Amino acid sequence: MDEKNNTIAKSELKSHGIALEKNVKILEQSSVDALSSRGYGTKEKNFLLLAFYEALYLLDKKILQVSSEKSNDLNFQDLLRFYEKINDNAWVNYLIYRDLRSRGYVVRGGFGVGIDFRIYERGSYGKNVASTLILSIQEGRPLDIEYLTSVMKQCQSQKKALVLAVMNRRGEIVYYSVSQLTFTKQGNRNA
């Protein structure tokens, strides 16, 4: 029985990362290839850089161990504190990332003004471009309409759908599709 458990433990993907100032670095080539092929991280020369939300997700799934540059092992809370130093919305972004991954999407970091994530339909990662861009917000926090309009225009220029991922007060995530609203000038109704 011990032999069987050892075989299972050895066959599980277990990667090790080093927490840097803005991301987590994976050096083991087998882990770099395995994680990259599953849509995690950004491949550099011979290493992989994970965004903190990706590292938190993998740490939570027990696929990744993370240590500091001083070789101290980091737990989930420690790594979250690293992330919070560079992103005030760290917890919300992690929860949205986790929710999208649990729904089977490959989730990559966003780009441009305001886009937190881009998602790939199931089975399309590596074959097609991302079809949807995600803007993360919290219920109760105001969202400037001009800002939303700017983000919407950016999405339209790239022929992508925009989805608002709203974390409500209970910690649940609700998704809203956003489409352009246009107003047209009507003739004088009093004439």
Side-chain angles (χ1 to χ4, degrees):
M1 185 125 178
D2 281 347
E3 232 173 68
K4 185 178 179 183
N5 288 341
N6 286 339
T7 305
I8 292 170
K10 287 178 186 175
S11 69
E12 289 179 17
L13 173 67
K14 191 70 166 189
S15 302
H16 182 265
I18 300 167
L20 305 175
E21 191 175 316
K22 295 185 178 181
N23 46 35
V24 173
K25 187 175 190 177
I26 308 288
L27 294 169
E28 303 154 354
Q29 197 56 49
S30 60
S31 296
V32 168
D33 295 337
L35 292 172
S36 178
S37 70
R38 293 169 55 195
Y40 295 102
T42 304
K43 244 182 170 178
E44 297 293 328
K45 294 175 185 173
N46 54 353
F47 57 89
L48 186 72
L49 292 176
L50 296 173
F52 280 122
Y53 50 80
E54 293 173 309
L56 285 164
Y57 178 78
L58 293 169
L59 183 65
D60 186 49
K61 293 284 185 190
K62 311 256 187 283
I63 295 172
L64 179 68
Q65 292 175 311
V66 180
S67 63
S68 68
E69 291 180 281
K70 298 173 185 171
S71 298
N72 300 331
D73 281 342
L74 301 176
N75 64 27
F76 187 90
Q77 290 299 320
D78 296 332
L79 190 58
L80 182 59
R81 278 188 219 103
F82 269 78
Y83 188 21
E84 288 172 332
K85 288 178 186 175
I86 64 166
N87 186 339
D88 294 335
N89 219 21
W91 181 242
V92 173
N93 280 358
Y94 164 70
L95 291 176
I96 291 169
Y97 179 85
R98 183 184 71 179
D99 185 65
L100 290 167
R101 271 287 183 171
S102 71
R103 293 171 186 261
Y105 293 106
V106 171
V107 183
R108 306 294 295 158
F111 50 84
V113 179
I115 303 300
D116 294 302
F117 302 112
R118 53 196 155 111
I119 60 172
Y120 294 80
E121 295 297 325
R122 291 167 192 88
S124 72
Y125 179 71
K127 300 172 192 164
N128 299 318
V129 295
S131 59
T132 305
L133 302 178
I134 305 289
L135 176 62
S136 306
I137 58 174
Q138 283 181 283
E139 180 182 13
R141 281 196 178 169
L143 180 63
D144 185 60
I145 194 70
E146 290 170 359
Y147 174 72
L148 182 58
T149 301
S150 168
V151 171
M152 185 68 213
K153 285 180 182 176
Q154 179 185 352
C155 291
Q156 287 176 327
S157 72
Q158 297 173 17
K159 296 180 175 43
K160 311 264 187 230
L162 176 62
V163 172
L164 295 181
V166 181
M167 188 173 90
N168 67 23
R169 288 182 171 88
R170 293 186 304 250
E172 299 165 339
I173 300 161
V174 182
Y175 298 95
Y176 297 97
S177 294
V178 180
S179 59
Q180 185 174 7
L181 175 63
T182 56
F183 294 98
T184 56
K185 187 175 181 180
Q186 298 292 314
N188 190 351
R189 300 188 98 174
N190 294 332

